[in-house]
Amino acid sequence: MPVFASTTSLGTGRTELPDVLAALAGLGLDGIEIGSTHRWRPDFADCIRTNWQGPLLTHNYCPPAEDDLIINLGSADPITRAKSLGHADACIHFAARVGAQAYTVHAGFLAEVQGATSERGAKAFDFAFGAERTDRAAAVERIVAALNQLMATAKESGVDLAVETEGSLTSPDVFAFETADAYENLLAHVPGLKLNFNLAHSALAAKARGFDLAAFIDRLGDKFIACVY
């Protein structure tokens, strides 16, 4: 199985992409995933082309937005949802420009994101959520509609589209999808969609929701386009 490493695995908080790529270039990896924790810069695409020549995937905020946008395709706020969809669409086009095999997006949340902890100087990158929860069925309907729009862009661009598996013990009620049933329902409504399997996130979901992680993998493994640990 090919070994890919995420560029979020080096450094803490916001990092400069060229520095991270230079560190990964000598590790003999089969490929990399350009992650979501890098500072915006106008030459982001050139940084990738100059510092990496192998296979690559792109993830969620690649390239990062110039402002503090946090993608939430399930948001009940139409402005947030429109900005999220617009940025994800642009990210797919960017993935095609830099030759990425696939683009992964976070499917969406049941709460509005108040900010990222790294913006406040924290060493780890995480989200802070508001207290209110939107209706799950309504959020799923919004997410399915958004992902079908993104899938059309992905097909036109020749890029695979995936969503990352999610899970948390500290905020177990904010993710629209965590269980195998939920993902199978999503995949049935968005033909061609893949999963980027985050082992750590799904292990947390299994603990919080009480399901068997091995059974989760058996049911959904043929839909995994990558595995992140």
Side-chain angles (χ1 to χ4, degrees), residues 13-198:
R14 296 287 181 184
T15 57
E16 292 291 349
L17 181 60
D19 297 338
V20 176
L21 292 178
L24 292 174
L27 297 183
L29 299 166
D30 296 310
I32 60 172
E33 179 186 66
I34 309 294
S36 301
T37 57
H38 307 297
R39 294 186 181 92
W40 179 87
R41 51 191 298 156
D43 61 343
F44 206 84
D46 290 336
C47 288
I48 296 173
R49 296 191 189 101
T50 300
N51 295 283
W52 184 261
Q53 282 72 51
L56 68 128
L57 313 172
T58 57
H59 187 88
N60 215 36
Y61 307 110
C62 178
E66 292 185 57
D67 55 21
D68 291 330
L69 170 69
I70 295 176
I71 293 175
N72 183 7
L73 299 177
S75 176
D77 175 42
I79 296 176
T80 298
R81 193 167 64 255
K83 287 184 177 180
S84 297
L85 182 59
H87 187 70
D89 187 88
C91 286
I92 294 172
H93 288 291
F94 179 88
R97 282 175 54 204
V98 298
Q101 300 170 1
Y103 166 69
T104 298
V105 65
H106 291 171
F109 310 110
L110 304 182
E112 297 302 325
V113 185
Q114 303 298 306
T117 56
S118 65
E119 294 168 4
R120 300 190 291 273
K123 291 185 177 180
F125 189 92
D126 203 354
F127 296 127
F129 296 97
E132 292 187 19
R133 301 292 182 263
T134 190
D135 177 73
R136 181 179 295 273
V140 168
E141 185 175 344
R142 292 190 290 266
I143 292 167
V144 166
L147 287 173
N148 274 306
Q149 285 185 248
L150 294 176
M151 181 59 70
T153 300
K155 289 180 178 179
E156 291 174 1
S157 302
V159 174
D160 283 321
L161 177 66
V163 296
E164 181 179 354
T165 62
E166 299 284 7
S168 172
L169 291 179
T170 56
S171 301
D173 58 344
V174 300
F175 298 107
F177 307 96
E178 290 180 292
T179 66
D181 286 343
Y183 286 115
E184 286 183 341
N185 180 64
L186 175 63
L187 294 169
H189 287 86
V190 188
L193 184 67
K194 303 293 185 181
L195 297 178
N196 188 333
F197 176 56
N198 189 309

